[in-house]
Amino acid sequence: MIALRDNIIFFIDEFNNKDLRGTHAFAIPTPVGMPLSRRSFLSAVFSRKDNDDIQHFLNSEGSISQAAWFELGCGSSLSTRMKAMEQLESIVRGRRLQISTVEALYHETKDLYEVDEARDSFLKTFITLTEYQLDQLGLAMRDTFFSLIRSMGLSDLSLEWFIALSVNGDKVAGFEYDFMSLQLNWLREVLDLNKVDHRHAIRVLQLTQQAIKTNAGFITNKEIDEIVHNICLRICRKADHLTYECLLLLGIILKYGRIPDTKLLILITTLCSVMNEQKWGSTAWNVMRGLLGSHYGHNVIKLMLDLLKDSVNCPKTQVLVGAIYCIHTALWSQQVSFLFRLSFM
């Protein structure tokens, strides 16, 4: 007992004499660091990295919060609205919105299209929205978007938006009776003989090809007539890097649509003019073969014979050579006609 008492007394003395201020138990707590600066509401709710913030932005019905509507609305500053549009673009990529929400977003922000500084931001956001929320666009909204695209003329963004809206020309519901008028305007621009290498030319031609393939029933004879006329005029006057796509377009019109009777002669003349060109001869012959195999076949042969009879008035020798090649190939064989063509030239 005496030994135990001595040990306790020793421990108490050591405790009283030792400076424990630096130990963990007696250390003065360090002040907690200053909290992070408060982020703006939209910056938080639109953050791609923070799913919880996104949940705060979208409510359970597939809409957005009232605070977000306020930031997007005309009551906020232009810089705030543009920032909100950029952040909204990231949201529509991964979350499905209601049809009514998509419509409300457009009507709430459409005034930005009239502001030069905000126009590109508005268009890029709605191009993304169209691509990722396509099933949530009603017929009225699709027609509204199409009308805006048509008013823009041909540009990088209008072309991109139309491709997204029509799924590369396949789906034209909501504007099925108007889409070809837009395509015609764009075709006139890219096929203009006074313009060199329009950067959208090939893309517009390919888009028109696909649109006719899947929606030929909505295209009028007058529209087909104008397309054939413009394409043939371009090939005859300026055979270049667009000729191949132009010939493909003529073949698609023949296969899925109807060649107007009034354009049969100009079509035959066009095909004959490039029939002997190595780059386009096989493509032109494929179109001619389809023409000969159609109900136009007899008339096509007759028109080519008429060209040969009136050869003095034919402005291009290539047309006569092409007509001879087509007649011989149609009546005999391609090999015999090929040998004849070489000896003729």
Side-chain angles (χ1 to χ4, degrees):
M1 293 295 294
I2 295 174
L4 178 60
R5 184 188 62 184
D6 292 339
N7 288 335
I8 293 174
I9 293 173
F10 175 78
F11 177 78
I12 293 173
D13 290 338
E14 287 294 321
F15 183 84
N16 290 331
N17 294 330
K18 191 173 182 179
D19 185 4
L20 298 176
R21 288 177 298 175
T23 64
H24 176 73
F26 292 88
I28 300 174
T30 57
V32 179
M34 294 297 294
L36 296 175
S37 59
R38 295 179 60 188
R39 294 178 294 176
S40 66
F41 177 80
L42 278 181
S43 177
V45 298
F46 280 107
S47 175
R48 297 183 183 182
K49 299 180 180 179
D50 194 341
N51 291 331
D52 292 337
D53 289 340
I54 293 178
Q55 293 299 329
H56 288 301
F57 174 71
L58 293 172
N59 63 30
S60 59
E61 289 79 23
S63 184
I64 59 177
S65 65
Q66 289 299 320
W69 283 115
F70 176 77
E71 296 286 348
L72 290 167
C74 57
S76 299
S77 65
L78 180 60
S79 59
T80 300
R81 299 181 74 191
M82 290 178 63
K83 179 64 176 178
M85 292 293 286
E86 293 174 2
Q87 294 167 333
L88 176 63
E89 185 177 347
S90 67
I91 291 297
V92 300
R93 293 176 185 271
R95 299 301 300 270
R96 185 175 182 178
L97 302 178
Q98 288 183 338
I99 295 177
S100 58
T101 300
V102 173
E103 294 176 353
L105 284 171
Y106 172 76
H107 291 294
E108 189 71 19
T109 59
K110 63 182 180 180
D111 60 298
L112 292 175
Y113 178 74
E114 305 299 332
V115 181
D116 292 339
E117 299 90 338
R119 182 175 295 121
D120 284 355
S121 176
F122 169 84
L123 292 174
K124 289 177 181 178
T125 298
F126 276 91
I127 289 171
T128 302
L129 184 146
T130 300
E131 182 178 357
Y132 287 90
Q133 304 286 331
L134 187 63
D135 293 338
Q136 302 306 99
L137 297 180
L139 293 179
M141 199 76 262
R142 289 175 60 83
D143 181 63
T144 299
F145 285 178
F146 175 78
S147 297
L148 186 56
I149 292 170
R150 182 162 53 181
S151 69
M152 293 168 60
L154 180 57
S155 65
D156 293 340
L157 292 177
S158 64
L159 181 58
E160 184 180 354
W161 199 358
F162 182 75
I163 290 173
L165 183 63
S166 66
V167 192
N168 198 33
D170 285 343
K171 298 181 179 180
V172 294
F175 46 88
E176 54 268 28
Y177 295 104
D178 300 314
F179 78 95
M180 189 47 65
S181 63
L182 174 67
Q183 295 289 284
L184 275 171
N185 290 334
W186 288 359
L187 279 174
R188 293 189 199 102
E189 183 173 341
V190 301
L191 297 178
D192 189 345
L193 295 172
N194 297 320
K195 294 183 178 180
V196 180
D197 295 335
H198 195 293
R199 67 179 185 276
H200 297 309
I202 292 180
R203 192 68 191 92
V204 168
L205 285 167
Q206 292 174 342
L207 182 62
T208 306
Q209 293 167 14
Q210 187 62 29
I212 293 176
K213 278 183 182 180
T214 53
N215 301 285
F218 298 112
I219 305 174
T220 65
N221 289 336
K222 182 179 179 181
E223 290 170 336
I224 290 293
D225 189 303
E226 187 170 352
I227 294 173
V228 173
H229 179 82
N230 290 333
I231 292 294
C232 290
L233 192 64
R234 169 73 187 210
I235 295 175
C236 288
R237 293 189 178 180
K238 190 177 182 180
D240 56 11
H241 63 289
L242 298 182
T243 300
Y244 175 73
E245 295 294 340
C246 288
L247 289 171
L248 289 182
L249 180 54
L250 290 174
I252 288 171
I253 292 174
L254 177 62
K255 184 175 181 179
Y256 296 94
R258 179 179 180 275
I259 300 295
D261 295 339
T262 56
K263 298 302 177 184
L264 195 55
L265 179 58
I266 187 176
L267 175 59
I268 293 171
T269 304
T270 300
L271 294 175
C272 289
S273 68
V274 295
M275 194 65 66
N276 290 278
E277 297 288 343
Q278 184 176 2
K279 291 185 290 185
W280 311 303
S282 60
T283 307
W285 169 245
N286 288 335
V287 180
M288 179 63 79
R289 183 170 55 188
L291 198 59
L292 290 167
S294 69
H295 65 283
Y296 294 113
H298 178 75
N299 287 338
V300 171
I301 294 291
K302 183 177 183 301
L303 287 172
M304 286 191 290
L305 290 173
D306 290 341
L307 283 173
L308 295 176
K309 290 178 182 178
D310 195 24
S311 59
V312 177
N313 296 321
C314 185
K316 289 186 177 181
T317 305
Q318 298 96 312
V319 175
L320 301 177
V321 176
I324 293 174
Y325 171 76
C326 292
I327 292 172
H328 273 265
T329 303
L331 298 180
W332 288 284
S333 70
Q334 189 170 3
Q335 183 177 3
V336 174
S337 178
F338 178 71
L339 295 174
F340 179 81
R341 180 181 59 171
L342 291 179
S343 62
F344 182 87
M345 294 177 67

